[in-house]
Amino acid sequence: MTVTSEQRFGEFVVVRRHEGQDHVAELVLDRPKAMNAVSTDMARSIAAACDALGADREVRATVLTSSHERAFCVGADLKERNSFSDADLVRQRPTARAAYTGVLELPMPVIAAVHGFALGGGFELALACDVIVADATAVVGLPEVSVGVIPGGGGTQLLPRRVGAARAAELVFSARRVEAAEARELGLVDELVEAGRDREEALALGARIAANSPVGLRAAKKALRLGQGLDLRAGLEVEDAAWRSVAFSGDRAEGVAAFNEKRRPDWPGE
């Protein structure tokens, strides 16, 4: 797949665009010497990349990938943390949070392409995405209690929304690592593919998603996210508000016209 543009955010994060996939962005975790352990600098770069992607109306889908052959991301940089004073840890916390919320709050659909280790904060980055595509080598888990902390990148909130409170409790309390087949069975990942194909399959899914209305995609994601945890009546009000935000858009008019004229839509994106 030919890279047509590349923008680097700091030393450890890259955003790429590919030939034939104009509306798909690849957000690459690129700290291979540390298996993508999230240092302060890397967290700052993830947040900056997400800010740029969120403001880019041309991006209809984002795929979160890794440049390391054996790991998606092994979580927080514990070597860096070992040198921190309590005051350092307090100062670093907003920077770390901004990385995870940056991915979580991206307005377009986001797909994680996971292979190898996705542990702790690494798995939390994947959980912040809308869909997780994992290959057969994937090993996921939230082992934070084994080093005296708790999942702090959204794990205690995002995991129960995926697998239920009791299953999430078992996984967090035991700190156990879950291999690919069981992870798919438990719903920790959404699609399981052959080893080495996670990125390819995630980018292909991103391309299929990006063929649809950018206005519709962003509104649908907003409705899905805001409706989580609400009772049905309140959730339907969220959905109605999202529907009203797109019902009179140029994308809606183009979509209906294209359907009736039996042609591919040319989305205005507004």
Side-chain angles (χ1 to χ4, degrees):
M1 189 174 295
T2 303
V3 176
T4 57
S5 69
E6 181 173 294
Q7 182 179 6
R8 185 166 287 276
F9 293 83
E11 187 178 355
F12 304 127
V13 176
V14 184
V15 173
R16 292 181 178 141
R17 307 290 277 274
H18 301 279
E19 185 176 1
Q21 293 192 352
D22 295 338
H23 300 292
V24 179
E26 182 182 8
L27 176 57
V28 187
L29 305 176
D30 188 33
R31 195 186 178 204
K33 291 182 179 179
M35 300 180 82
N36 290 329
V38 181
S39 63
T40 303
D41 285 345
M42 186 172 179
R44 191 176 292 115
S45 296
I46 292 170
C50 288
D51 283 345
L53 286 168
D56 189 341
R57 301 293 298 188
E58 291 297 310
V59 178
R60 301 178 190 171
T62 295
V63 180
L64 180 61
T65 70
S66 162
S67 65
H68 194 283
E69 293 183 356
R70 294 186 292 108
F72 174 73
C73 173
V74 294
D77 186 342
L78 296 185
K79 290 184 178 179
E80 179 188 61
R81 292 277 180 91
N82 192 48
S83 69
F84 279 4
S85 66
D86 289 351
D88 291 332
L89 192 59
V90 169
R91 280 192 294 269
Q92 194 239 18
R93 178 62 175 161
T95 302
R97 285 195 69 186
Y100 299 103
T101 56
V103 176
L104 184 65
E105 294 177 359
L106 281 169
M108 76 291 291
V110 184
I111 305 152
V114 174
H115 59 267
F117 298 112
L119 301 172
F123 188 39
E124 287 174 303
L125 286 172
L127 289 172
C129 299
D130 300 292
V131 179
I132 302 174
V133 176
D135 83 355
T137 70
V139 179
V140 306
L142 296 175
E144 284 88 345
V145 297
S146 70
V147 292
V149 291
I150 70 165
T156 66
Q157 305 306 305
L158 295 170
L159 189 59
R161 285 167 167 79
R162 271 188 163 267
V163 300
R167 178 62 68 193
E170 182 267 318
L171 291 166
V172 171
F173 296 159
S174 68
R176 72 183 180 95
R177 300 179 178 191
V178 182
E179 295 188 0
E182 185 185 5
R184 176 65 184 88
E185 181 181 340
L186 296 178
L188 300 175
V189 304
D190 302 300
E191 295 188 25
L192 186 59
V193 300
E194 294 177 2
R197 292 186 56 85
D198 55 297
R199 177 176 173 272
E200 179 182 348
E201 295 291 343
L203 286 168
L205 176 57
R208 293 195 297 274
I209 289 171
N212 296 308
S213 157
V215 171
L217 288 170
R218 290 183 179 223
K221 176 165 179 171
K222 188 174 183 179
L224 286 164
R225 286 290 177 89
L226 292 180
Q228 286 182 358
L230 300 179
D231 63 47
L232 179 59
R233 186 178 297 275
L236 289 173
E237 291 302 316
V238 168
E239 181 182 83
D240 186 66
W243 179 87
R244 290 175 185 276
S245 74
V246 302
F248 310 104
S249 68
D251 273 15
R252 197 276 314 172
E254 169 62 12
V256 172
F259 177 84
N260 283 286
E261 295 166 14
K262 296 181 173 57
R263 60 174 174 81
R264 179 174 294 183
D266 182 14
W267 304 114
E270 58 184 22

